[in-house]
Amino acid sequence: MCKYANVRQVQNCESKSDFIHKFKISAKEAEETEYGILLCKHSNNYPSDESLFTKLKEIRKIINKIIYTSKQTSYPFSTLIHRNIIKNI
């Protein structure tokens, strides 16, 4: 849940580096979530749903692509915010 809150916070970031930083935090939260899903998968006491793992992998790809693209682009910061990069998240 926290990774989604971080992604929403990006809409109010103050600079390009802040934009990237907030998405890096989201990437870390997604990594922690993946670990939790894997623990459930290998536990007899907790339910496991493979579709959650698949969806999380897609979310991680999107977050990592945003980070990579943001680092590579020379767009002004305002362009990054107002493009469709974060509107659909």
Side-chain angles (χ1 to χ4, degrees), residues 56-87:
L56 182 62
K57 282 175 62 174
E58 290 301 314
I59 291 168
R60 289 182 65 203
K61 286 180 186 178
I62 292 167
I63 291 171
N64 288 328
K65 181 66 174 178
I66 290 170
I67 293 168
Y68 175 80
T69 302
S70 299
K71 286 181 177 181
Q72 301 302 316
T73 186
S74 60
Y75 293 130
F77 172 68
S78 60
T79 303
L80 289 172
I81 295 299
H82 292 98
R83 291 181 132 222
N84 286 332
I85 292 175
I86 61 173
K87 287 186 179 181

Side-chain angles (χ1 to χ4, degrees), residues 12-29:
N12 296 313
C13 56
E14 298 174 4
S15 66
K16 183 176 176 179
S17 62
D18 189 31
F19 178 89
I20 294 168
H21 177 71
K22 286 187 182 348
F23 269 107
K24 284 184 175 182
I25 292 170
S26 294
K28 288 178 184 179
E29 295 288 341

